Amino acid sequence: MNARENAPRVSLGMPVYNGANFIREAIASLLEQTFRDFELIIVDNASTDDTEAICRGFAETDERIRFYRNSENIGAGKNFNLAVTYARGEYFKWAAHDDLCHPRFLEECVEVMDRNPDAALAYPKSRIIDAASNFVDSPYVVSEGTNDEDPVVRFKGLVKPHVCYQVFGLMRLSILRETPLIGLYARGDEILMCWLGLRGRFVPIDEFLFYPRKHEAQSMSFLGNRKRTSADFVAYSVWFDPNWRNRLVFPWWRSLRELIWCVLKAPISIGGKIRCQLVVLRWAISRKRSLLRDVVLQMKVLAASFAPARERSDKSPS
């Protein structure tokens, strides 16, 4: 009997760094699922709080939990992707350490995916909670057209501004592994959704079964710098991959490049690729100010890096 015959139908990947404040509740919501045939893969990104002890405690009491700990912090993007490499199931879901799922989340999503073999992903409606797990009044914003038969329509919906909660839906692992996974740059999760959307439909479930949490310590806080009127995608890039620190970062230009590449590699017709590239062109035109801001900001960074050298040169004896 091979390993695949013993594998669970669903793999849940929970990447975490210093998540002791919420991870107990998150793990409990997964262990309470009515669909039981799953594995929970926890990948600890070298946490410095009680995360490791909490997770090992859960793993000792439930054989479905597998715990891995990185020897050093490898960045959020790599840690998310590492969970995929450990997965053995037919379906895969990322589970954030601070979010909660309704007990029927997996049951409903698996049923939808089983009924729709052409689907790449299934996802329910979301209702935001706060740090105390109370519901927060917030509009439910999701991309339109992602359940359409036409991959170009799906792509067009995914490049429009939306809350990227589909990344926490249930995905077909075989299709997910055809992609580069989450890109190690700002908005890498949104670009991944474009890769998936060009390979299959996103089937919605008309029930509120997912409860993403909003709190001050989460990664999205990088996008809400109170001293800025625009999102800090440079800081967000460093969160995805620490290697961006002290390097020139052009987040919007990187997104443009990745969208172009995503279309070129899509398993669709030449005509479909041309239509998608026109969508990318319109995307770039609508974001011309952001693309320009990338250049201006990084030129300022470059100029500032040369300033100390000039000062030392001016102070040197003649």
Side-chain angles (χ1 to χ4, degrees):
M1 184 176 293
N2 59 42
R4 183 67 191 87
E5 291 176 332
N6 291 320
R9 292 208 67 200
V10 173
S11 294
L12 305 175
M14 180 177 284
V16 59
Y17 172 71
N18 285 357
N21 48 355
F22 299 116
I23 198 166
R24 287 187 180 90
E25 195 175 359
I27 294 175
S29 81
L30 297 176
L31 298 183
E32 293 169 358
Q33 292 294 304
T34 55
F35 183 90
R36 309 290 294 172
D37 189 14
F38 67 84
E39 64 180 350
L40 173 56
I41 304 160
I42 304 175
V43 188
D44 180 6
N45 202 13
S47 294
T48 57
D49 63 359
D50 292 334
T51 295
E52 180 180 8
I54 293 169
C55 294
R56 289 193 184 279
F58 273 102
E60 289 174 359
T61 61
D62 197 311
E63 62 182 8
R64 293 174 299 176
I65 299 176
R66 292 193 286 147
F67 178 78
Y68 300 90
R69 178 177 168 85
N70 301 331
S71 59
E72 61 181 6
N73 191 313
I74 60 176
K78 287 183 180 178
N79 202 44
F80 266 73
N81 293 340
L82 190 56
V84 180
T85 67
Y86 294 134
R88 302 176 298 158
E90 177 183 358
Y91 301 125
F92 178 84
K93 168 184 162 49
W94 274 298
H97 82 276
D98 46 4
D99 294 339
L100 301 179
C101 294
H102 187 281
R104 289 191 294 106
F105 183 109
L106 290 182
E107 178 184 349
E108 296 294 332
C109 287
V110 169
E111 182 180 346
V112 165
M113 293 296 283
D114 285 347
R115 290 200 319 263
N116 297 272
D118 62 330
L121 182 153
Y123 67 102
K125 286 184 175 181
S126 305
R127 193 172 179 190
I128 296 172
I129 58 176
D130 62 16
S133 300
N134 298 314
F135 289 120
V136 177
D137 290 331
S138 181
Y140 179 71
V141 182
V142 69
S143 51
E144 299 178 353
T146 55
N147 194 27
D148 198 278
E149 296 289 342
D150 186 348
V152 181
V153 174
R154 300 196 298 265
F155 181 76
K156 185 177 181 180
L158 287 165
V159 299
K160 291 180 179 179
H162 66 281
V163 180
C164 193
Y165 288 146
Q166 298 105 319
V167 76
F168 293 110
L170 188 70
M171 310 173 193
R172 203 172 299 277
L173 185 58
S174 58
I175 295 181
L176 179 61
R177 284 179 168 159
E178 293 176 5
T179 75
L181 303 181
I182 292 180
L184 305 183
Y185 46 84
R187 300 180 68 251
D189 51 349
E190 296 179 41
I191 303 298
L192 170 60
M193 293 298 98
C194 293
W195 281 84
L196 288 173
L198 287 171
R199 286 161 173 76
R201 295 183 297 119
F202 292 4
V203 183
I205 296 172
D206 194 25
E207 291 188 64
F208 290 96
L209 302 177
F210 178 51
Y211 310 126
R213 192 188 304 271
K214 277 192 174 182
H215 57 92
E216 293 184 355
Q218 68 187 154
S219 62
M220 294 302 290
S221 63
F222 290 117
L223 302 183
N225 191 327
R226 297 173 183 173
K227 297 181 180 180
R228 296 168 58 98
T229 57
S230 60
D232 190 350
F233 282 105
V234 172
Y236 205 39
S237 296
V238 175
W239 179 81
F240 269 96
D241 184 357
N243 289 326
W244 285 114
R245 188 175 287 110
N246 300 322
R247 292 168 56 187
L248 294 180
V249 184
F250 299 89
W252 288 99
W253 286 97
R254 181 61 183 267
S255 292
L256 176 57
R257 189 185 84 171
E258 296 297 333
L259 285 173
I260 293 172
W261 182 245
C262 169
V263 172
L264 290 175
K265 299 298 289 184
I268 61 177
S269 67
I270 296 297
K273 290 184 179 182
I274 293 173
R275 290 166 59 204
C276 283
Q277 295 294 13
L278 290 175
V279 172
V280 175
L281 177 60
R282 288 193 290 270
W283 178 92
I285 293 172
S286 69
R287 288 160 179 78
K288 56 183 179 294
R289 290 186 179 180
S290 296
L291 292 165
L292 177 60
R293 189 183 301 117
D294 264 6
V295 176
V296 172
L297 288 175
Q298 294 311 302
M299 290 305 98
K300 289 181 179 179
V301 171
L302 191 61
S305 68
F306 284 114
R310 288 198 300 270
E311 291 176 2
R312 290 193 298 271
S313 177
D314 292 340
K315 292 179 181 178
S316 61
S318 56

